[in-house]
Amino acid sequence: MASEDEGPKVRPPENVNITVLRARNLRGSKGDNLNSLVRVEYNNQSLGESPKVESTAEYAAEYNYNARFECTFDDPLTLDEIAYKPVMVTVIEVLPKEKKQKEEKTLLLGQSTVDLLPLLRGENRYKSTLVVHPLPGSPLETAPPDQAKPSITFQVELDVVVFVNEPLLSEEQLKEVNLLTVSVETLYSPPEAWNPTGAPFIYNVTLPVPITADRETTVVATNGIIKAGTDKDLPSRQKKWCVPGNAQGGAIYIPDSFVPTTNFDEEDGDFTSKEDREFRNEAEMEKTRVTWNIERRCFMDPAAVQSFQNKIAQTRVWPVEIMRTPVPTATKGKGKSEDETPIFYHGVAYVNLAPLLYPGVKKIRGAYKVMAFSDHEVFEKTKRKGGLAEEAIRVATAMNRNASPFAKGGKAPKEEKGGKEKEKDAAKKQPSSMLKPTSDAGSETDVTPPQNLEGMQYVEAKSYLMLEITLQRPLVPKRPPEVLAKRVAELIPPRPLFARRTNGAERAVEDFHSQVASVGNLVLEEFRSLFADQLIQGDLPSGSEPSDERRRKLLYELNTSGKYFAFKEQLKHSVVKIVREKYLKTTTFTDKEELHTFLSELNVFLIDQMHVGLGKVLSLEDETPVPPPLTDSAQLKHFAREAEVNENFEVASKYYQERIARNRNDGDHWFDYGTFCMLINDISKAEECFKETVSINQSHVNGLLLYGIVCAMEERNSVAETFFEMATNVEPNCTLAWTLLGLFYDGIENDIQAEFAFLEANKRNVANAAAKVKSAMPEETEKENVVEGGDAEPEREKVVKTPATPSESGKSHRSGKDKPGSVASAHKKKLSVSSKSAPDGGTRKQSAQSNRPTSQPAEGSQQGTPFEEEIPPREPTPVPETSIFMIAVDFLLEVKAMNFCERALAHELLSPTGGPSAAYYVALARLKLQKKELEEANDNLQEALVLNHQDPDAWAITGHLRYLEGDIGEAKSCYERTLSFVADAREMHSIYLRLASIYLQENKFEDAKNTFLLACKKSPSCVSWLGVGIACYRLGELGEAEDALSEANILNNTDSEVWGYLSLVCLKTNRQLEAEQAYKYALKVGLQDEGLLGEIHEIQEAVGFGNPQF
């Protein structure tokens, strides 16, 4: 017996109470005075009727009627029904009895639906004021006599209170369960055979939704309404109940729930490209459509949520089936059963639910194209066997049988006869188009899969279904920015903005020093004012007696004027602080000997500190001021990069460290040094540098990204993810941050998160391109106004009357980036008045209708009305200059993150908008050069030059490659070709230096001088000025050589070659002392060039001086 009680405890049923309080503004068949009652129904079952109540125009009908039903917890379907089934309240008028009438007659006035969804959100009591929707034939349909136009004031309202004793879900359950809302809106561009004026059919949409770990419910949206293109929808479309029960009229709509309007760019489905907009405008404004606008809520327990998440991760797509069935009619005797209802036009939309696994995403909405249903294809894409069509038909039939609005229309059964007979004949020949074999002679053993010929019409018509799926809570929660910031601060504590305060004793001594210095200045001023005449004349006598006399006179003056006591008071406060803070004496002394001992000790200390304080003041006056540095931070960075290119890593490290020494609180200095450490493969030091960067500035995006990259390289993925996410939170519109986050997820094989990050990066990239176009438009408009001048009107007529041919449009696209923007701005001028005054609906209609004539010239027709020519084409789509992966590649190459760079290049190669372009091969060659893989770099450069023979970067890197290989002649040819192009290469400084050095080796000193001067003009450095000095020295221009070498020495006074050539210049100009000093400094800083040393020694021997060792 004990084992039976060990099972999971099921909560006892909970009563859900619905209290109808009152109804206002009721009108009956006899006027405002009437007797009425309310009937409460739920789940097609009556919960009871209230007693009849009298009401007048002034007094509301006070029902105060309570109905209830039990909510059980042993089956999750019960909570699921509460989510999507409303409580229906019907207001009924009780007519007075007439003579010989046994029972009172009643008249249905109106209905309201009560939404029970708040109960599943943790509420246990809520009050709603509902509108009572009049039923057909009800007196509520007519306006009151004193109100010609119905007003919201005279709407019939019903006050309802819903409550439970205990919440249906506890707080812990609310954190684990979820609520899935499926909104089936409209099928656009259906097959052409669908005719709104033909025989009626039932249009159903169905999809499976898990409610437990191993159970699914079939969600069905039935009774879609087919409409012609001329039948326009209202701007605000209200959603309907999925299972309205006996509701009619306006009661079938969910209160305060409307179909949203979104832009194409915000959708998640198919047909979202710019090329599809014209087709969608035409389909939504002019073609036949089937509308449902039905909302279905689905309750999912924690196991169902996990199952739903796992299935999305496995297959990504979710099948949503669509079909058409004949209208069922009442049959006499033995007729067809429900299972034999034929299914026509069986299609399926594969909805990509992967975005629901993105962090923080709760909703997807879009247009999903409908494909022909095939069991084989459904199994391949969704791993599901069979479809839900038969189950959906049974559910839809049950829903329609329960007094659906369609069945109560009264007109449908009459129209069904002809259509039903045709459908019967079709069913005899072909029960379902899904089962039609490919060959008439097929047998049961034929393995050829059946073809869904009717379903193929969806594909031919490019049909698509507007669908929205919303979750109450995201499946994958997104960490809020404050949590990420806290986590980053825990991993790398931020550096305090202000220096730490010294302790009390040190601060007290420092205050005493400052007061002594202040009093010393005041005493000095008194001395100068007292002996001003002697100081001016310069006859101040010296010696001990005059000094004692001046001291006595100064003390007398200070005592008689009271300044001596003022100085003592000024020092008194600082002395008290020393006593309290340093000696910790805060009470009076009881022992006199102890007091005398303390005072003597204090006196000695104060005298010593007085001398220290005066010494600080005097030493500051005697110190020689330190001159400011001649180079700034940017120049030091340039020198370091120059040393990197020349592979002089020791010098580069020195420059980076000097930048840090000048300002340790600049995060950029630490970041640049970290990237250098990445280049020399010192990962641990790079990590410390990036730590310092983030410690100084917790919002340093590049520092966050690089620290995340370093952590990913060390396989600390959780820490890396934190820093990548933090970077996207610091700058949400940063394309680079989102791309690197996607590359990180791709590296740990988290495909869903990687897809999300890349989508966000693409959105930012397109938005940045659009912002550039908008910012360029005002400038283009001004240019057009200046160019056109007074001939603006004739030019406008010329544009209107001249149709655009395909060749002209192609030229305009090839002419540059500024042309599309100028055209768009010109068209914006034409429609500035009309576009602002037209409402949204009119604008969409006009644009959809105008898009069709403008596409005719492309098909060969040159005819068009003036009105059609006036309508401008849509604005050009902003196209980003580079893909998100190439943006990441450029950054990663700069910061020497080779692993991530390889990953980004692989994605660029596979990207639909990327591929093996010239820029791709150039970037790959740069990566191979960093890895010292010269042969592969050469192959990539050859591919780049085949694709774009005029790419300056490709030629420049080819020159570097040849230079590193020792092929000087070929390197010079590549460098000269690079300089001949109109556009500059990415890095011109290294090209100038290496080409000029080649000229020096070939004794082309004039060319070397001019090339070095080009480098000095753009970005001067010690190396560039040294090259100028060497070239001028070889040309015999000693004055210019000395000037150039002096400039080089100013930028770097530790370069041994500069001192060596300065010694040569001084030897040539017969300056012995300067020649010897330059020679000594050259040896001191470590001149190792044997050729230069030999040349110096030869000239020293020739002139007879310059070497102190002679």
Side-chain angles (χ1 to χ4, degrees):
M1 297 296 293
S3 61
E4 296 179 1
D5 298 334
E6 291 177 358
K9 294 183 179 179
V10 179
R11 177 179 169 181
E14 182 73 29
N15 286 328
V16 179
N17 298 275
I18 302 98
T19 302
V20 183
L21 298 178
R22 65 189 63 85
R24 292 182 292 274
N25 303 323
L26 279 178
R27 294 187 306 277
S29 57
K30 304 296 183 182
D32 292 335
N33 299 329
L34 75 156
N35 292 330
S36 62
L37 58 86
V38 292
R39 178 190 301 147
V40 183
E41 301 175 54
Y42 174 72
N43 200 7
N44 297 321
Q45 295 180 359
S46 176
L47 303 182
E49 294 182 354
S50 70
K52 63 180 180 180
V53 175
E54 294 183 0
S55 63
T56 62
E58 293 80 12
Y59 298 99
E62 299 286 345
Y63 299 110
N64 293 322
Y65 175 70
N66 184 68
R68 66 173 61 89
F69 68 90
E70 281 190 349
C71 174
T72 59
F73 298 92
D74 56 349
D75 189 353
L77 283 176
T78 305
L79 295 177
D80 186 52
E81 290 176 348
I82 290 178
Y84 72 91
K85 289 185 178 180
V87 171
M88 189 174 66
V89 181
T90 306
V91 182
I92 304 172
E93 180 186 6
V94 181
L95 301 175
K97 283 186 180 181
E98 297 180 358
K99 293 181 179 180
K100 299 180 181 180
Q101 184 177 340
K102 295 181 180 180
E103 296 181 357
E104 294 177 334
K105 290 186 177 182
T106 58
L107 178 63
L108 302 181
L109 296 180
Q111 292 177 333
S112 295
T113 51
V114 183
D115 196 351
L116 301 179
L117 187 62
L119 295 178
L120 297 180
R121 292 176 174 168
E123 298 187 26
N124 57 356
R125 184 183 183 89
Y126 61 95
K127 180 181 178 181
S128 302
T129 299
L130 308 172
V131 175
V132 178
H133 301 279
L135 294 173
S138 168
L140 300 180
E141 286 186 322
T142 60
D146 56 345
Q147 186 75 8
K149 293 183 179 180
S151 173
I152 192 170
T153 307
F154 288 91
Q155 282 184 339
V156 182
E157 295 179 343
L158 195 69
D159 291 339
V160 179
V161 175
V162 180
F163 66 94
V164 290
N165 295 327
E166 295 292 335
L168 299 184
L169 298 172
S170 63
E171 293 184 1
E172 292 76 13
Q173 289 175 321
L174 287 173
K175 295 178 182 178
E176 297 176 350
V177 302
N178 213 329
L179 194 71
L180 177 73
T181 302
V182 180
S183 297
V184 181
E185 298 176 11
T186 306
L187 174 72
Y188 290 106
S189 186
E192 295 182 357
W194 293 14
N195 187 2
T197 59
F201 294 93
I202 296 179
Y203 301 91
N204 299 319
V205 173
T206 181
L207 71 155
V209 174
I211 56 172
T212 63
D214 52 358
R215 288 178 58 187
E216 289 184 340
T217 183
T218 302
V219 173
V220 180
T222 187
N223 295 327
I225 302 173
I226 186 168
K227 296 182 179 181
T230 56
D231 188 3
K232 304 301 179 184
D233 290 324
L234 296 175
S236 58
R237 295 176 291 167
Q238 195 168 5
K239 295 181 181 179
K240 303 175 186 177
W241 291 104
C242 181
V243 183
N246 294 326
Q248 301 180 53
I252 66 174
Y253 295 98
I254 303 175
D256 302 325
S257 181
F258 296 90
V259 176
T261 56
T262 56
N263 297 328
F264 292 114
D265 299 331
E266 299 174 358
E267 292 182 358
D268 300 288
D270 307 313
F271 300 110
T272 56
S273 63
K274 306 297 182 182
E275 295 76 12
D276 296 323
R277 290 190 176 184
E278 183 176 353
F279 162 71
R280 287 191 57 177
N281 283 330
E282 181 181 356
E284 295 174 16
M285 304 303 294
E286 300 180 11
K287 289 187 177 182
T288 303
R289 64 190 182 280
V290 179
T291 302
W292 287 271
N293 292 337
I294 286 177
E295 178 178 291
R296 168 66 153 88
R297 294 95 167 249
C298 306
F299 175 81
M300 294 193 295
D301 63 10
V305 173
Q306 188 62 42
S307 173
F308 186 56
Q309 186 171 346
N310 293 339
K311 290 177 180 177
I312 295 175
Q314 291 172 3
T315 63
R316 294 200 173 203
V317 295
W318 204 264
V320 178
E321 300 178 36
I322 183 170
M323 66 210 74
R324 188 175 84 168
T325 59
V327 177
T329 56
T331 58
K332 296 180 181 180
K334 295 182 179 180
K336 284 186 177 182
S337 64
E338 298 172 2
D339 297 338
E340 297 178 357
T341 303
I343 300 171
F344 298 92
Y345 292 96
H346 194 182
V348 60
Y350 297 103
V351 181
N352 182 16
L353 296 187
L356 292 179
L357 296 185
Y358 299 163
V361 174
K362 298 188 293 185
K363 182 181 75 172
I364 61 169
R365 183 176 187 273
Y368 297 93
K369 58 184 177 182
V370 182
M371 312 295 291
F373 184 87
S374 169
D375 285 327
H376 179 70
E377 186 178 8
V378 169
F379 179 76
E380 282 188 346
K381 292 187 175 182
T382 67
K383 307 304 178 186
R384 295 174 178 271
K385 295 182 179 180
L388 300 174
E390 296 180 357
E391 176 66 19
I393 295 303
R394 285 194 294 269
V395 174
T397 303
M399 291 164 57
N400 291 330
R401 187 189 302 114
N402 292 324
S404 69
F406 186 83
K408 287 189 176 183
K411 297 181 181 179
K414 295 181 181 179
E415 298 175 357
E416 286 175 10
K417 293 181 180 180
K420 184 63 180 178
E421 294 297 330
K422 295 179 181 179
E423 203 67 48
K424 285 180 180 179
D425 296 337
K428 291 178 182 178
K429 298 178 182 178
Q430 180 187 341
S432 173
S433 59
M434 178 62 198
L435 302 178
K436 183 176 180 180
T438 57
S439 174
D440 294 338
S443 62
E444 294 180 358
T445 60
D446 193 356
V447 295
T448 304
Q451 288 187 355
N452 187 351
L453 299 182
E454 289 183 350
M456 292 299 295
Q457 296 185 33
Y458 289 116
V459 181
E460 296 171 359
K462 297 178 67 174
S463 305
Y464 61 92
L465 179 67
M466 288 300 298
L467 196 69
E468 179 181 287
I469 297 178
T470 309
L471 290 164
Q472 184 178 353
R473 294 185 302 107
L475 295 176
V476 180
K478 183 179 181 180
R479 287 188 286 185
E482 55 272 13
V483 174
L484 284 171
K486 183 179 179 181
R487 176 63 176 155
V488 169
E490 290 175 355
L491 294 170
I492 304 178
R495 182 178 293 182
L497 297 177
F498 305 101
R500 290 184 178 180
R501 293 184 58 182
T502 57
N503 55 35
E506 293 180 0
R507 186 66 179 271
V509 174
E510 290 176 359
D511 289 345
F512 179 73
H513 290 166
S514 63
Q515 293 298 330
V516 167
S518 175
V519 172
N521 288 327
L522 294 175
V523 173
L524 185 60
E525 289 178 3
E526 286 294 325
F527 180 85
R528 288 171 177 171
S529 64
L530 189 61
F531 303 101
D533 297 336
Q534 297 178 12
L535 291 172
I536 293 173
Q537 295 175 4
D539 56 354
L540 192 68
S542 59
S544 60
E545 292 184 2
S547 298
D548 292 340
E549 182 64 25
R550 286 193 296 270
R551 184 175 64 82
R552 285 194 295 270
K553 190 174 182 180
L554 176 62
L555 291 176
Y556 176 79
E557 182 66 25
L558 293 176
N559 282 315
T560 55
S561 63
K563 294 180 180 179
Y564 177 77
F565 298 99
F567 294 157
K568 284 175 62 177
E569 289 297 323
Q570 184 174 348
L571 292 172
K572 182 178 179 180
H573 181 67
S574 60
V575 173
V576 172
K577 286 178 64 176
I578 288 176
V579 173
R580 291 179 177 176
E581 298 293 338
K582 183 171 180 60
Y583 292 96
L584 305 177
K585 301 294 183 181
T586 57
T587 58
T588 58
F589 288 89
T590 57
D591 188 0
K592 289 186 178 181
E593 292 184 2
E594 184 182 355
L595 175 62
H596 288 304
T597 304
F598 172 72
L599 290 177
S600 62
E601 183 181 351
L602 177 64
N603 185 50
V604 172
F605 176 77
L606 292 177
I607 296 246
D608 292 340
Q609 294 302 318
M610 180 191 69
H611 290 301
V612 172
L614 292 176
K616 288 182 179 180
V617 177
L618 296 176
S619 63
L620 286 176
E621 293 180 357
D622 296 338
E623 280 185 358
T624 304
V626 179
L630 298 175
T631 54
D632 56 15
S633 177
Q635 285 179 307
L636 291 176
K637 182 178 178 180
H638 170 61
F639 299 161
R641 291 294 179 90
E642 183 183 69
E644 281 182 22
V645 173
N646 296 328
E647 296 186 355
N648 194 346
F649 298 133
E650 184 178 351
V651 174
S653 177
K654 185 195 73 171
Y655 282 124
Y656 283 123
Q657 292 173 4
E658 185 175 348
R659 294 180 75 215
I660 294 174
R662 289 189 183 182
N663 186 1
R664 298 183 62 86
N665 293 324
D666 192 327
D668 291 335
H669 295 175
W670 288 100
F671 177 81
D672 293 333
Y673 188 38
T675 60
F676 168 74
C677 294
M678 294 279 286
L679 175 63
I680 62 177
N681 203 27
D682 193 347
I683 304 300
S684 60
K685 187 176 288 187
E687 180 181 356
E688 293 300 321
C689 292
F690 298 138
K691 264 189 177 181
E692 288 292 332
T693 303
V694 178
S695 175
I696 294 169
N697 182 7
Q698 298 267 304
S699 300
H700 197 289
V701 176
N702 291 346
L704 292 168
L705 293 174
L706 262 295
Y707 190 78
I709 289 175
V710 170
C711 293
M713 293 169 62
E714 298 176 350
E715 296 185 356
R716 291 183 290 154
N717 294 328
S718 60
V719 178
E721 182 181 15
T722 299
F723 282 87
F724 282 125
E725 284 189 24
M726 185 61 185
T728 59
N729 277 281
V730 171
E731 284 193 19
N733 295 325
C734 180
T735 305
L736 175 64
W738 285 106
T739 306
L740 292 185
L741 178 62
L743 292 175
F744 163 73
Y745 282 130
D746 179 71
I748 61 175
E749 298 181 355
N750 191 338
D751 297 338
I752 300 293
Q753 300 281 43
E755 179 182 307
F756 165 68
F758 292 147
L759 285 174
E760 292 293 323
N762 278 311
K763 289 180 183 178
R764 270 62 177 184
N765 199 21
V766 173
N768 292 337
K772 288 183 181 179
V773 172
K774 289 182 180 179
S775 62
M777 279 184 179
E779 300 177 0
E780 294 165 0
T781 305
E782 292 177 3
K783 291 179 182 178
E784 289 176 358
N785 293 337
V786 171
V787 172
E788 291 176 2
D791 300 329
E793 192 63 29
E795 187 70 22
R796 177 180 179 276
E797 293 177 0
K798 181 179 179 181
V799 171
V800 171
K801 293 182 180 180
T802 305
T805 61
S807 61
E808 291 172 347
S809 62
K811 292 178 182 178
S812 65
H813 282 293
R814 291 190 298 268
S815 60
K817 300 176 186 175
D818 297 333
K819 294 292 180 69
S822 61
V823 174
S825 61
H827 289 310
K828 280 188 175 180
K829 293 179 191 175
K830 298 176 187 176
L831 294 181
S832 59
V833 178
S834 61
S835 63
K836 291 181 181 178
S837 60
D840 294 340
T843 304
R844 289 187 64 187
K845 180 178 179 180
Q846 182 180 1
S847 63
Q849 293 175 350
S850 61
N851 281 337
R852 297 183 68 187
T854 55
S855 63
Q856 290 176 1
E859 298 173 0
S861 174
Q862 300 295 329
Q863 302 295 327
T865 63
F867 174 77
E868 292 170 352
E869 294 175 357
E870 280 284 349
I871 299 300
R874 61 178 177 84
E875 293 185 13
T877 303
V879 179
E881 296 178 0
T882 57
S883 68
I884 59 173
F885 300 112
M886 289 307 297
I887 293 174
V889 165
D890 290 339
F891 172 78
L892 294 170
L893 285 172
E894 290 295 325
V895 300
K896 290 80 179 178
M898 301 179 190
N899 293 339
F900 270 67
C901 186
E902 288 179 342
R903 208 174 294 168
L905 286 170
H907 278 277
E908 172 66 16
L909 187 62
L910 300 176
S911 174
T913 59
S917 61
Y920 165 80
Y921 282 115
V922 169
L924 186 56
R926 291 175 61 194
L927 176 63
K928 297 301 181 181
L929 274 181
Q930 287 186 6
K931 299 175 70 174
K932 304 302 180 183
E933 298 174 358
L934 303 185
E935 292 184 3
E936 296 183 14
N938 182 54
D939 295 339
N940 294 320
L941 289 171
Q942 297 305 316
E943 293 288 344
L945 291 174
V946 169
L947 294 174
N948 184 3
H949 199 68
Q950 297 182 0
D951 190 340
D953 286 326
W955 285 107
I957 298 174
T958 303
H960 295 328
L961 180 63
R962 299 290 180 264
Y963 188 88
L964 294 175
E965 291 175 342
D967 191 350
I968 302 301
E970 189 65 25
K972 183 183 76 169
S973 176
C974 294
Y975 289 145
E976 289 175 343
R977 184 188 289 266
T978 303
L979 296 181
S980 66
F981 290 128
V982 176
D984 288 340
R986 182 189 302 272
E987 181 62 44
M988 294 297 297
H989 186 74
S990 59
I991 297 173
Y992 290 138
L993 294 184
R994 287 183 171 175
L995 179 59
S997 66
I998 293 173
Y999 287 146
L1000 282 180
Q1001 295 178 27
E1002 296 178 349
N1003 296 328
K1004 297 180 179 179
F1005 302 121
E1006 189 67 34
D1007 293 338
K1009 173 186 174 182
N1010 294 332
T1011 308
F1012 274 124
L1013 284 174
L1014 287 175
C1016 294
K1017 182 179 180 181
K1018 290 194 173 183
S1019 49
S1021 67
C1022 174
V1023 176
S1024 61
W1025 281 117
L1026 172 62
V1028 175
I1030 295 174
C1032 292
Y1033 174 79
R1034 299 304 179 192
L1035 290 171
E1037 301 170 355
L1038 300 181
E1040 294 183 6
E1042 185 175 0
D1043 292 340
L1045 293 170
S1046 299
E1047 288 290 336
N1049 200 11
I1050 291 173
L1051 295 177
N1052 183 9
N1053 59 3
T1054 62
D1055 192 297
S1056 58
E1057 282 193 65
V1058 175
W1059 288 112
Y1061 278 100
L1062 278 173
S1063 178
L1064 286 176
V1065 171
C1066 294
L1067 290 172
K1068 289 281 188 178
T1069 54
N1070 296 319
R1071 289 182 289 174
Q1072 179 178 354
L1073 179 61
E1074 294 175 2
E1076 290 182 356
Q1077 289 179 343
Y1079 177 69
K1080 286 191 294 184
Y1081 275 115
L1083 296 179
K1084 184 177 180 179
V1085 295
L1087 180 60
Q1088 301 293 333
D1089 190 346
E1090 297 295 337
L1092 180 57
L1093 282 172
E1095 186 177 359
I1096 294 174
H1097 292 157
E1098 288 179 4
I1099 298 179
Q1100 287 174 346
E1101 293 177 358
V1103 297
F1105 61 84
N1107 190 345
Q1109 297 178 356
F1110 287 167

